[in-house]
Amino acid sequence: MFQGGGHGEARADYNAKYGSEPGVKFYTHISDRYAPFHTKVIAANASEAAHILDGLLHHECSLDIREHYTDTAGAVGHVFGLCHLTGFRFAPRIRDLADRRLYIADARSSYKSLVPMIGGAIDFRIIGENWDETLRLAASIKAGTVAPSILMRRLAAYPKQNALAKTLREMGRLERTLFTLDWISDPALRRRTNAGLNKGEARNALARAVFFHRLGEIRDRTFENQRYRASGLNLVVAAVILWNTVYLSHAVAELRSNGERVRDDLLAHIAPLGWEHITFNGDYVWPTEPLQNAFRPLRNPRSELLDVA
């Protein structure tokens, strides 16, 4: 969330979570290797759940995405259903587990230990009757005929008795129930989800540190210019992440050449998202001669005078 310097096409909205100033959100997807691969400008008070599949399906990169993590607000039934239909495992962090409801396949079955959490039975008849139409919908999304976020907004606006909306609701209940049971029984899933969300939060902190131009405010009035601003920010953040990754690999190689034992499984927990060593503003001193091997030394005695990024 970035504050707006005024009102524009996507900056006239308020979100109480982020204060009383109007602003805009840059909703960004990041991979498990810390690479931001999709960013989108959305209104400050817009639900992020509607835009999850936009990034998963239309990122235009070579990533093979299998599992996606969000916070609790993204745990929407329609998202569960559409992610299943399009081949992704949706893994939101579940908060307030006691308030979550499970849906069973047969109302006549007995689940004594889960009775307080059962909210009803899944209507498989609705799913069967509208299965072909649901598959056509999923095919349209996969082919890019319709943006998932647009579809999600339309589904939310449909009457409750709409057959397609009811079908996705029932499928979402089924997928959400299966995931909730996995969440309860699988500590590895909980750790993996929290780790993925922490990567996203660390990336957002880096983006806020980088975004200092114009006092850190979005002053572009048109949606197109705001998109350019979001893409530029994403590019700079990706450059910082790449820089850190390259030099971390050199640091590890240096340690190993000196006989230090650095385990590969521990390296997976080192995040290339730090920025304390980077001078974002001030005087930049560019070397007049090319660096040896095109890399800076790991320990530079003049580091306080040189911009290292």
Side-chain angles (χ1 to χ4, degrees), residues 109-164:
S109 302
S110 176
Y111 304 89
K112 294 181 180 179
S113 59
L114 295 175
V115 167
M117 296 185 67
I118 292 177
I122 297 170
D123 190 348
F124 288 99
R125 179 185 58 83
I126 291 291
I127 297 176
E129 290 176 352
N130 300 282
W131 183 243
D132 291 342
E133 185 66 25
T134 304
L135 290 182
R136 281 193 289 270
L137 174 68
S140 298
I141 292 175
K142 291 278 284 187
T145 305
V146 59
S149 57
I150 295 176
L151 175 66
M152 289 283 291
R153 288 197 294 269
R154 289 181 178 176
L155 287 174
Y158 283 164
K160 292 184 178 180
Q161 64 270 22
N162 179 272
L164 187 57

Side-chain angles (χ1 to χ4, degrees), residues 56-123:
L56 297 180
L57 291 170
H58 306 307
H59 51 77
E60 299 181 352
C61 66
S62 59
L63 288 173
D64 180 18
I65 303 171
R66 302 175 184 176
E67 192 170 69
H68 180 68
Y69 314 114
T70 69
D71 59 15
T72 304
V76 178
H78 285 168
V79 178
F80 271 103
L82 288 174
C83 280
H84 173 72
L85 288 171
T86 50
F88 302 104
R89 189 187 191 194
F90 185 44
R93 178 171 54 193
I94 298 181
R95 187 180 56 195
D96 302 326
L97 189 60
D99 297 331
R100 298 288 164 175
R101 291 293 173 260
L102 306 177
Y103 289 85
I104 58 178
D106 188 352
R108 295 170 296 179
S109 302
S110 176
Y111 304 89
K112 294 181 180 179
S113 59
L114 295 175
V115 167
M117 296 185 67
I118 292 177
I122 297 170
D123 190 348

Side-chain angles (χ1 to χ4, degrees), residues 237-255:
V237 169
V240 172
I241 293 172
L242 176 60
W243 174 278
N244 288 340
T245 301
V246 169
Y247 277 87
L248 281 171
S249 66
H250 282 282
V252 170
E254 179 71 17
L255 289 173

Side-chain angles (χ1 to χ4, degrees), residues 89-297:
R89 189 187 191 194
F90 185 44
R93 178 171 54 193
I94 298 181
R95 187 180 56 195
D96 302 326
L97 189 60
D99 297 331
R100 298 288 164 175
R101 291 293 173 260
L102 306 177
Y103 289 85
I104 58 178
D106 188 352
R108 295 170 296 179
S109 302
S110 176
Y111 304 89
K112 294 181 180 179
S113 59
L114 295 175
V115 167
M117 296 185 67
I118 292 177
I122 297 170
D123 190 348
F124 288 99
R125 179 185 58 83
I126 291 291
I127 297 176
E129 290 176 352
N130 300 282
W131 183 243
D132 291 342
E133 185 66 25
T134 304
L135 290 182
R136 281 193 289 270
L137 174 68
S140 298
I141 292 175
K142 291 278 284 187
T145 305
V146 59
S149 57
I150 295 176
L151 175 66
M152 289 283 291
R153 288 197 294 269
R154 289 181 178 176
L155 287 174
Y158 283 164
K160 292 184 178 180
Q161 64 270 22
N162 179 272
L164 187 57
K166 290 175 67 176
T167 300
L168 286 175
R169 182 190 66 190
E170 296 301 315
M171 292 185 64
R173 285 176 172 177
L174 173 60
E175 291 299 319
R176 184 167 54 190
T177 296
L178 294 174
F179 175 76
T180 302
L181 294 174
D182 286 342
W183 181 267
I184 294 172
S185 60
D186 189 355
L189 172 61
R190 298 196 294 271
R191 287 194 296 268
R192 194 164 65 247
T193 299
N194 284 320
L197 289 174
N198 288 339
K199 291 177 182 179
E201 291 300 325
R203 180 266 165 201
N204 292 339
L206 172 59
R208 285 190 290 270
V210 170
F211 196 86
F212 60 85
H213 179 56
R214 293 180 174 175
L215 303 179
E217 295 180 345
I218 301 292
R219 301 186 184 180
D220 306 285
R221 294 191 173 276
T222 66
F223 181 73
E224 182 179 11
N225 287 340
Q226 292 167 24
R227 288 180 57 192
Y228 291 149
R229 187 75 58 186
S231 297
L233 176 62
N234 215 28
L235 179 61
V236 174
V237 169
V240 172
I241 293 172
L242 176 60
W243 174 278
N244 288 340
T245 301
V246 169
Y247 277 87
L248 281 171
S249 66
H250 282 282
V252 170
E254 179 71 17
L255 289 173
R256 286 174 171 170
S257 67
N258 292 331
E260 296 284 346
R261 181 172 177 266
V262 183
R263 292 164 44 189
D264 288 336
D265 59 323
L266 295 180
L267 292 179
H269 301 285
I270 299 178
L273 296 168
W275 67 85
E276 294 81 1
H277 57 294
I278 297 175
T279 302
F280 289 130
N281 51 20
D283 295 330
Y284 290 78
V285 180
W286 306 101
T288 56
E289 302 201 2
L291 299 171
Q292 186 178 4
N293 299 323
F295 292 107
R296 295 181 183 275

